[in-house]
Amino acid sequence: MRQVLLAAAALLALAGCARDDAKPAVRTARDADLVLVRGGDVQIGDDASQADERPAFRYRARDVLLDRTPVTVGQFALFVEETGYVTEAERFGAGGVFQHATSAWVEVKGATWRRPQGPDRPAAAGDHPVTQVSWNDARAFCHAYGARLPTELEWEQAGRLGQTPDGHVFKTGEPFLWSNQHVINVWQGAFPIYDSGADGYRLTSPVGRFGTAPSGLTDMAGNVWEWTDSWYRPYDAKHWKPDAASERVQRGGSFLCDPTLCSGFRVTARSHSTPDTSLMHVGFRCAADPGRVPPVAGRLAAPGRRTAAVGTAAPRAARPAAS
Protein backbone atom coordinates (compact mmCIF):
# COMPACT_ATOMS: atom_id res chain seq x y z
CA MET A 1 0.00 0.00 0.00
CA ARG A 2 2.93 2.28 0.66
CA GLN A 3 3.93 2.25 -3.01
CA VAL A 4 0.35 3.06 -3.94
CA LEU A 5 0.36 6.05 -1.63
CA LEU A 6 3.61 7.30 -3.08
CA ALA A 7 2.15 7.08 -6.57
CA ALA A 8 -0.96 8.85 -5.39
CA ALA A 9 1.06 11.64 -3.86
CA ALA A 10 2.93 12.18 -7.10
CA LEU A 11 -0.32 12.12 -9.08
CA LEU A 12 -2.15 14.44 -6.75
CA ALA A 13 0.33 17.23 -6.00
CA LEU A 14 -2.45 19.74 -6.06
CA ALA A 15 -1.74 23.29 -7.20
CA GLY A 16 -2.10 26.23 -4.82
CA CYS A 17 -0.44 27.92 -1.88
CA ALA A 18 -0.42 26.55 1.66
CA ARG A 19 -2.48 29.45 3.02
CA ASP A 20 -0.33 29.55 6.17
CA ASP A 21 -1.78 32.91 7.15
CA ALA A 22 -5.40 31.93 6.51
CA LYS A 23 -7.12 32.00 9.89
CA PRO A 24 -10.86 31.42 9.48
CA ALA A 25 -12.86 32.62 12.46
CA VAL A 26 -15.26 30.34 14.34
CA ARG A 27 -17.95 31.26 16.85
CA THR A 28 -19.24 27.89 18.03
CA ALA A 29 -17.21 25.52 20.22
CA ARG A 30 -16.46 22.13 18.72
CA ASP A 31 -18.50 19.14 19.81
CA ALA A 32 -15.30 17.24 20.56
CA ASP A 33 -13.53 15.69 23.54
CA LEU A 34 -9.84 16.41 24.19
CA VAL A 35 -8.05 13.57 25.97
CA LEU A 36 -4.93 14.11 28.07
CA VAL A 37 -2.03 11.89 27.01
CA ARG A 38 0.65 11.87 29.68
CA GLY A 39 4.27 12.40 28.74
CA GLY A 40 7.24 10.28 29.63
CA ASP A 41 10.04 8.28 28.07
CA VAL A 42 8.71 6.81 24.82
CA GLN A 43 10.31 4.60 22.18
CA ILE A 44 9.82 5.82 18.62
CA GLY A 45 10.27 3.50 15.66
CA ASP A 46 11.11 -0.17 15.31
CA ASP A 47 14.52 -1.54 14.33
CA ALA A 48 12.89 -4.79 13.13
CA SER A 49 10.49 -3.09 10.72
CA GLN A 50 10.43 -0.86 7.63
CA ALA A 51 13.50 1.18 6.72
CA ASP A 52 11.80 4.49 7.44
CA GLU A 53 10.97 3.31 10.99
CA ARG A 54 14.68 2.85 11.78
CA PRO A 55 16.66 3.55 13.82
CA ALA A 56 14.43 3.35 16.87
CA PHE A 57 15.16 5.98 19.50
CA ARG A 58 13.91 7.28 22.83
CA TYR A 59 11.78 10.40 23.01
CA ARG A 60 11.08 12.45 26.13
CA ALA A 61 7.44 13.29 25.57
CA ARG A 62 5.48 16.10 27.17
CA ASP A 63 1.81 15.96 28.12
CA VAL A 64 -0.47 16.61 25.15
CA LEU A 65 -4.20 16.79 24.51
CA LEU A 66 -5.56 14.86 21.52
CA ASP A 67 -9.02 14.66 20.01
CA ARG A 68 -10.74 11.51 21.23
CA THR A 69 -11.67 10.66 17.62
CA PRO A 70 -10.66 11.77 14.15
CA VAL A 71 -12.46 14.95 13.07
CA THR A 72 -15.83 13.93 11.67
CA VAL A 73 -17.69 15.03 8.56
CA GLY A 74 -20.27 16.68 10.81
CA GLN A 75 -17.64 18.68 12.66
CA PHE A 76 -16.04 19.77 9.42
CA ALA A 77 -19.44 20.76 7.98
CA LEU A 78 -20.02 23.14 10.90
CA PHE A 79 -16.55 24.63 10.38
CA VAL A 80 -17.29 25.24 6.69
CA GLU A 81 -20.72 26.66 7.51
CA GLU A 82 -19.25 29.20 9.94
CA THR A 83 -16.15 30.16 7.98
CA GLY A 84 -16.97 29.61 4.33
CA TYR A 85 -13.74 27.60 4.06
CA VAL A 86 -13.09 25.97 0.68
CA THR A 87 -10.85 22.92 0.66
CA GLU A 88 -8.03 22.38 -1.80
CA ALA A 89 -9.83 19.48 -3.48
CA GLU A 90 -12.80 21.79 -4.09
CA ARG A 91 -10.59 24.51 -5.52
CA PHE A 92 -8.59 22.03 -7.57
CA GLY A 93 -11.76 20.33 -8.76
CA ALA A 94 -10.76 16.74 -7.97
CA GLY A 95 -9.60 14.36 -5.27
CA GLY A 96 -7.75 11.05 -5.14
CA VAL A 97 -9.98 7.98 -5.27
CA PHE A 98 -9.00 4.32 -5.25
CA GLN A 99 -11.05 2.50 -7.89
CA HIS A 100 -11.59 -1.17 -7.21
CA ALA A 101 -12.49 -1.87 -10.84
CA THR A 102 -9.06 -0.80 -12.07
CA SER A 103 -7.09 -1.36 -8.84
CA ALA A 104 -5.61 2.10 -9.25
CA TRP A 105 -5.63 5.58 -7.76
CA VAL A 106 -7.17 8.19 -10.04
CA GLU A 107 -8.19 11.82 -9.89
CA VAL A 108 -11.96 12.00 -9.78
CA LYS A 109 -13.55 15.30 -10.70
CA GLY A 110 -15.87 16.56 -8.00
CA ALA A 111 -14.53 14.24 -5.29
CA THR A 112 -14.52 16.34 -2.10
CA TRP A 113 -15.06 15.95 1.63
CA ARG A 114 -18.82 15.99 0.99
CA ARG A 115 -18.70 13.11 -1.51
CA PRO A 116 -15.25 11.51 -1.17
CA GLN A 117 -15.65 9.08 -4.08
CA GLY A 118 -17.11 11.60 -6.51
CA PRO A 119 -20.29 13.58 -7.18
CA ASP A 120 -22.23 10.53 -8.35
CA ARG A 121 -21.45 8.50 -5.22
CA PRO A 122 -23.09 8.69 -1.77
CA ALA A 123 -22.51 11.66 0.52
CA ALA A 124 -20.18 11.15 3.47
CA ALA A 125 -21.95 10.27 6.72
CA GLY A 126 -21.75 12.86 9.48
CA ASP A 127 -20.29 10.51 12.11
CA HIS A 128 -17.52 9.17 9.85
CA PRO A 129 -14.02 10.69 9.66
CA VAL A 130 -13.79 13.56 7.19
CA THR A 131 -11.56 12.72 4.21
CA GLN A 132 -10.47 14.43 0.97
CA VAL A 133 -8.84 17.07 3.15
CA SER A 134 -5.25 18.09 2.52
CA TRP A 135 -2.69 18.75 5.22
CA ASN A 136 -3.26 22.45 4.60
CA ASP A 137 -7.01 21.99 5.13
CA ALA A 138 -6.46 19.99 8.33
CA ARG A 139 -4.08 22.60 9.68
CA ALA A 140 -6.53 25.42 8.90
CA PHE A 141 -9.32 23.57 10.73
CA CYS A 142 -7.29 22.95 13.88
CA HIS A 143 -5.88 26.48 13.95
CA ALA A 144 -9.37 27.97 13.62
CA TYR A 145 -10.21 26.36 16.97
CA GLY A 146 -6.98 27.36 18.67
CA ALA A 147 -5.57 23.86 18.30
CA ARG A 148 -2.95 22.28 16.03
CA LEU A 149 -2.04 19.02 14.35
CA PRO A 150 -0.10 16.54 16.50
CA THR A 151 3.49 15.76 15.65
CA GLU A 152 4.15 12.19 14.58
CA LEU A 153 6.06 11.65 17.82
CA GLU A 154 3.02 12.73 19.82
CA TRP A 155 0.85 10.46 17.71
CA GLU A 156 3.10 7.46 18.40
CA GLN A 157 3.29 8.43 22.09
CA ALA A 158 -0.51 8.11 22.22
CA GLY A 159 -0.70 5.03 20.00
CA ARG A 160 1.63 3.08 22.25
CA LEU A 161 -0.91 3.43 25.06
CA GLY A 162 -3.18 1.07 23.12
CA GLN A 163 -5.23 0.98 19.96
CA THR A 164 -8.13 -1.24 21.07
CA PRO A 165 -10.41 -1.45 24.14
CA ASP A 166 -8.10 -3.95 25.83
CA GLY A 167 -5.01 -1.83 25.19
CA HIS A 168 -3.61 -3.98 22.41
CA VAL A 169 -1.12 -2.51 19.94
CA PHE A 170 -1.08 -4.28 16.59
CA LYS A 171 1.87 -6.01 14.99
CA THR A 172 2.33 -7.29 11.45
CA GLY A 173 0.46 -10.49 10.68
CA GLU A 174 -1.91 -10.43 13.64
CA PRO A 175 -5.59 -11.33 13.17
CA PHE A 176 -8.28 -8.70 13.54
CA LEU A 177 -11.10 -11.07 14.44
CA TRP A 178 -11.28 -11.78 18.17
CA SER A 179 -14.10 -13.92 19.56
CA ASN A 180 -15.92 -13.47 16.23
CA GLN A 181 -15.76 -9.67 16.55
CA HIS A 182 -13.73 -7.37 14.35
CA VAL A 183 -11.62 -4.87 16.28
CA ILE A 184 -10.38 -2.63 13.47
CA ASN A 185 -11.61 -1.32 10.11
CA VAL A 186 -9.24 -2.70 7.48
CA TRP A 187 -9.53 -4.61 4.20
CA GLN A 188 -10.91 -8.15 4.25
CA GLY A 189 -10.47 -10.21 1.13
CA ALA A 190 -7.96 -10.21 -1.72
CA PHE A 191 -6.53 -6.72 -2.20
CA PRO A 192 -7.17 -4.94 -4.49
CA ILE A 193 -9.69 -7.18 -6.21
CA TYR A 194 -12.25 -7.94 -3.54
CA ASP A 195 -13.17 -6.53 -0.14
CA SER A 196 -15.76 -8.65 1.63
CA GLY A 197 -16.61 -5.91 4.12
CA ALA A 198 -16.75 -8.58 6.83
CA ASP A 199 -16.16 -5.95 9.52
CA GLY A 200 -19.30 -4.16 8.33
CA TYR A 201 -17.59 -1.50 6.21
CA ARG A 202 -15.92 -1.33 2.81
CA LEU A 203 -15.06 2.33 3.30
CA THR A 204 -14.81 4.47 6.44
CA SER A 205 -16.67 3.52 9.60
CA PRO A 206 -18.28 5.73 12.27
CA VAL A 207 -15.69 7.07 14.70
CA GLY A 208 -15.53 4.91 17.80
CA ARG A 209 -17.33 2.03 16.10
CA PHE A 210 -14.69 -0.46 17.25
CA GLY A 211 -14.40 0.77 20.82
CA THR A 212 -12.26 3.10 22.90
CA ALA A 213 -8.71 2.27 23.99
CA PRO A 214 -7.56 2.63 27.62
CA SER A 215 -5.95 5.94 26.59
CA GLY A 216 -9.45 7.28 25.93
CA LEU A 217 -8.78 7.51 22.18
CA THR A 218 -10.50 5.74 19.29
CA ASP A 219 -9.55 4.84 15.71
CA MET A 220 -5.82 4.91 16.29
CA ALA A 221 -5.46 1.91 13.97
CA GLY A 222 -7.39 1.53 10.71
CA ASN A 223 -10.36 3.54 9.40
CA VAL A 224 -8.31 6.49 8.03
CA TRP A 225 -4.70 7.56 7.91
CA GLU A 226 -4.24 10.76 9.94
CA TRP A 227 -2.19 13.81 9.00
CA THR A 228 0.47 14.91 11.48
CA ASP A 229 2.37 18.16 11.68
CA SER A 230 5.71 16.47 10.94
CA TRP A 231 7.73 16.48 7.75
CA TYR A 232 8.54 13.04 6.35
CA ARG A 233 12.27 12.60 6.88
CA PRO A 234 14.70 9.88 8.01
CA TYR A 235 14.86 9.69 11.77
CA ASP A 236 18.64 9.95 11.74
CA ALA A 237 18.88 12.72 9.12
CA LYS A 238 21.09 15.61 10.18
CA HIS A 239 20.70 19.17 8.94
CA TRP A 240 17.59 18.17 6.97
CA LYS A 241 15.46 20.98 5.54
CA PRO A 242 12.15 20.67 3.64
CA ASP A 243 11.90 21.79 0.05
CA ALA A 244 9.06 22.18 -2.48
CA ALA A 245 8.79 18.39 -2.92
CA SER A 246 8.77 17.50 0.79
CA GLU A 247 5.86 15.58 2.27
CA ARG A 248 4.02 15.42 5.59
CA VAL A 249 3.69 12.26 7.69
CA GLN A 250 0.45 10.32 8.08
CA ARG A 251 -0.13 7.73 10.80
CA GLY A 252 -2.55 4.93 11.69
CA GLY A 253 -3.44 3.03 8.51
CA SER A 254 -6.84 2.94 6.83
CA PHE A 255 -9.72 0.81 5.61
CA LEU A 256 -7.61 0.09 2.50
CA CYS A 257 -4.90 -1.71 4.49
CA ASP A 258 -4.89 -5.42 3.69
CA PRO A 259 -3.20 -7.10 6.68
CA THR A 260 -1.49 -9.58 4.37
CA LEU A 261 0.14 -6.81 2.33
CA CYS A 262 0.01 -3.58 4.31
CA SER A 263 1.14 -2.94 7.85
CA GLY A 264 0.08 0.70 8.08
CA PHE A 265 -2.11 0.01 11.12
CA ARG A 266 0.99 -0.65 13.27
CA VAL A 267 1.85 2.03 15.82
CA THR A 268 5.26 2.73 14.22
CA ALA A 269 4.13 2.72 10.58
CA ARG A 270 4.57 5.93 8.57
CA SER A 271 2.97 7.09 5.34
CA HIS A 272 3.37 10.45 3.64
CA SER A 273 1.98 12.80 0.99
CA THR A 274 2.54 16.36 -0.16
CA PRO A 275 0.70 18.95 1.98
CA ASP A 276 -1.78 19.76 -0.80
CA THR A 277 -2.78 16.15 -1.50
CA SER A 278 -6.40 15.08 -0.82
CA LEU A 279 -7.30 11.38 -0.65
CA MET A 280 -10.41 9.35 0.18
CA HIS A 281 -8.73 7.45 3.05
CA VAL A 282 -6.86 10.25 4.85
CA GLY A 283 -8.27 12.36 7.68
CA PHE A 284 -6.89 13.95 10.84
CA ARG A 285 -7.37 14.77 14.51
CA CYS A 286 -6.32 17.90 16.38
CA ALA A 287 -3.97 18.38 19.32
CA ALA A 288 -3.46 21.08 21.94
CA ASP A 289 -1.08 21.91 24.75
CA PRO A 290 -2.48 21.57 28.30
CA GLY A 291 -3.20 24.94 29.85
CA ARG A 292 -3.48 26.63 26.44
CA VAL A 293 -6.86 25.46 25.22
CA PRO A 294 -9.44 28.07 24.17
CA PRO A 295 -13.13 27.28 24.84
CA VAL A 296 -13.90 26.77 21.13
CA ALA A 297 -11.38 23.89 20.92
CA GLY A 298 -13.74 21.44 22.62
CA ARG A 299 -14.29 19.80 26.01
CA LEU A 300 -11.54 18.48 28.25
CA ALA A 301 -12.32 14.80 28.74
CA ALA A 302 -12.77 13.53 32.27
CA PRO A 303 -9.66 11.70 33.55
CA GLY A 304 -9.61 7.94 33.79
CA ARG A 305 -10.27 5.01 31.52
CA ARG A 306 -13.28 5.23 29.25
CA THR A 307 -14.08 2.26 27.06
CA ALA A 308 -16.84 1.08 24.81
CA ALA A 309 -17.50 -2.55 24.05
CA VAL A 310 -16.09 -3.75 20.77
CA GLY A 311 -18.81 -3.73 18.15
CA THR A 312 -20.85 -0.92 19.71
CA ALA A 313 -21.25 2.53 18.26
CA ALA A 314 -19.80 5.39 20.29
CA PRO A 315 -20.13 8.57 18.18
CA ARG A 316 -22.26 11.56 19.06
CA ALA A 317 -25.05 12.62 16.76
CA ALA A 318 -23.49 14.55 13.91
CA ARG A 319 -24.63 16.62 11.00
CA PRO A 320 -24.43 14.84 7.62
CA ALA A 321 -22.54 16.38 4.74
CA ALA A 322 -24.56 18.64 2.50
CA SER A 323 -24.76 17.39 -1.04
Side-chain angles (χ1 to χ4, degrees):
M1 189 60 199
R2 185 157 304 188
Q3 291 81 2
V4 173
L5 286 168
L6 286 169
L11 174 67
L12 296 168
L14 310 180
C17 63
R19 298 199 284 182
D20 283 342
D21 52 358
K23 296 179 180 178
V26 295
R27 302 179 303 276
T28 306
R30 282 201 303 154
D31 181 16
D33 290 333
L34 290 164
V35 174
L36 178 63
V37 177
R38 293 291 186 185
D41 187 49
V42 181
Q43 177 176 313
I44 302 295
D46 182 355
D47 285 332
S49 192
Q50 306 288 342
D52 67 350
E53 299 168 36
R54 308 192 299 261
F57 63 95
R58 307 302 298 186
Y59 164 61
R60 185 64 184 175
R62 297 182 298 178
D63 291 357
V64 63
L65 293 164
L66 289 182
D67 283 356
R68 184 182 301 281
T69 75
V71 172
T72 65
V73 174
Q75 291 169 346
F76 200 81
L78 289 173
F79 163 69
V80 170
E81 181 179 312
E82 287 203 348
T83 65
Y85 186 86
V86 179
T87 63
E88 294 200 282
E90 290 172 298
R91 292 188 290 115
F92 182 71
V97 175
F98 182 77
Q99 292 190 333
H100 293 189
T102 61
S103 302
W105 284 95
V106 296
E107 283 183 356
V108 172
K109 291 183 178 180
T112 70
W113 66 272
R114 300 176 189 274
R115 293 180 180 270
Q117 297 181 83
D120 60 341
R121 301 299 299 276
D127 58 355
H128 286 226
V130 67
T131 61
Q132 293 294 9
V133 286
S134 69
W135 180 89
N136 294 317
D137 299 329
R139 180 177 183 271
F141 176 97
C142 293
H143 281 199
Y145 291 97
R148 59 179 174 81
L149 288 171
T151 68
E152 70 166 321
L153 303 187
E154 290 172 331
W155 196 101
E156 188 164 332
Q157 167 192 351
R160 285 185 178 276
L161 296 176
Q163 298 168 294
T164 64
D166 75 344
H168 189 74
V169 176
F170 290 106
K171 298 179 181 179
T172 302
E174 289 190 318
F176 299 125
L177 187 66
W178 301 350
S179 300
N180 293 319
Q181 290 184 316
H182 290 272
V183 294
I184 181 174
N185 179 9
V186 291
W187 186 283
Q188 294 97 35
F191 185 87
I193 301 170
Y194 173 69
D195 180 5
S196 70
D199 60 7
Y201 304 93
R202 290 189 173 91
L203 300 170
T204 58
S205 52
V207 298
R209 173 64 179 82
F210 294 91
T212 304
S215 62
L217 304 172
T218 78
D219 303 273
M220 292 296 285
N223 208 0
V224 292
W225 285 98
E226 299 178 14
W227 287 112
T228 75
D229 193 52
S230 301
W231 290 106
Y232 180 68
R233 56 181 292 184
Y235 284 149
D236 57 356
K238 296 181 179 180
H239 311 299
W240 185 92
K241 292 183 179 180
D243 57 29
S246 295
E247 300 179 324
R248 296 283 185 172
V249 174
Q250 301 154 353
R251 289 299 197 111
S254 82
F255 61 86
L256 284 177
C257 277
D258 178 348
T260 65
L261 300 172
C262 163
S263 56
F265 49 82
R266 292 179 300 102
V267 73
T268 57
R270 309 168 78 197
S271 187
H272 47 96
S273 294
T274 55
D276 49 10
T277 297
S278 304
L279 299 167
M280 63 177 277
H281 69 332
V282 177
F284 68 101
R285 75 180 74 210
C286 298
D289 299 309
R292 301 175 59 185
V293 186
V296 293
R299 298 173 297 273
L300 296 180
R305 176 179 176 134
R306 171 182 169 180
T307 61
V310 174
T312 61
R316 299 175 181 273
R319 176 175 307 202
S323 56

